[in-house]
Amino acid sequence: MRIFLAVALAVLLSTTAFARDLPDKTRTPGVANPAVTQDNIDQTICVSGWTKTIRPPASYTSKLKVEQIKEYAYADKKPGDYEEDHLISLQLGGHPTDPKNLWPEPYNQACGARIKDVLETRLKRLVCDRKLPLADAQKAIATNWVAAYKKYVNREGCPPLENEQ
């Protein structure tokens, strides 16, 4: 009986995904907005309020979030537990609507959506202050945003959740 339960549990766990800090690279590799270049950052991402002009409507991102939660086979199916996030953020010249730049990023984990927002803002400042090339910022956040957080924000890594302190 124990063997049966162990096998049943292994099968269940192998078919149910739990949200991770990083998106699946094949589903969400990150896509840059071709309209944003190093040469035009003073007219695009470095202009206050510019992202509002390109942000997709909630009707688009909410529908995509539900679809992607299914595609990712997340155990938690509640859309409210996720932010449909741009891997390469809009403020770093990420593509606004390409599904390969969007994924359901969980809120309730140490390296979750709210922590990534801190990195996005830090990288944008570095790019707009000409301390980091746009392409380098985009690559860092798309490759491994948690490692980029450690490099550019806090070498100790993501802070613990409030309920874990």
Side-chain angles (χ1 to χ4, degrees), residues 30-34 54 56 86-90 93-99 101-102:
V31 178
N33 182 345
I54 62 161
H86 293 89
L87 180 56
I88 301 174
S89 66
L90 298 180
H95 199 289
T97 57
D98 191 319
N101 194 44
L102 287 149

Side-chain angles (χ1 to χ4, degrees), residues 14-72:
S14 69
T15 60
T16 303
F18 295 93
R20 300 178 307 268
D21 299 333
L22 303 174
D24 178 313
K25 291 273 184 216
T26 57
R27 288 186 173 91
T28 312
V31 178
N33 182 345
V36 178
T37 66
Q38 184 69 48
D39 292 336
N40 72 9
I41 60 173
D42 290 326
Q43 293 79 45
T44 56
I45 66 169
C46 297
V47 174
S48 180
W50 181 79
T51 60
K52 291 177 188 172
T53 68
I54 62 161
R55 186 169 302 282
S59 58
Y60 174 77
T61 56
S62 294
K63 181 178 181 230
L64 184 60
K65 178 174 25 175
V66 169
E67 292 170 6
Q68 289 181 330
I69 287 170
K70 289 177 189 172
E71 287 174 17
Y72 269 73

Side-chain angles (χ1 to χ4, degrees), residues 90-145:
L90 298 180
Q91 60 182 330
L92 290 174
H95 199 289
T97 57
D98 191 319
K100 290 187 177 283
N101 194 44
L102 287 149
W103 102 99
E105 183 180 18
Y107 286 117
N108 195 23
Q109 62 188 45
C111 291
R114 290 179 182 93
I115 299 303
K116 183 174 172 282
D117 292 344
V118 173
L119 171 65
E120 294 167 0
T121 300
R122 175 68 52 89
L123 290 176
K124 177 190 171 188
R125 282 193 204 121
L126 291 170
V127 169
C128 293
D129 289 344
R130 306 302 194 272
K131 294 179 179 174
L132 183 68
L134 176 64
D136 291 354
Q138 290 174 335
K139 182 179 180 185
I141 205 163
T143 302
N144 183 329
W145 78 262

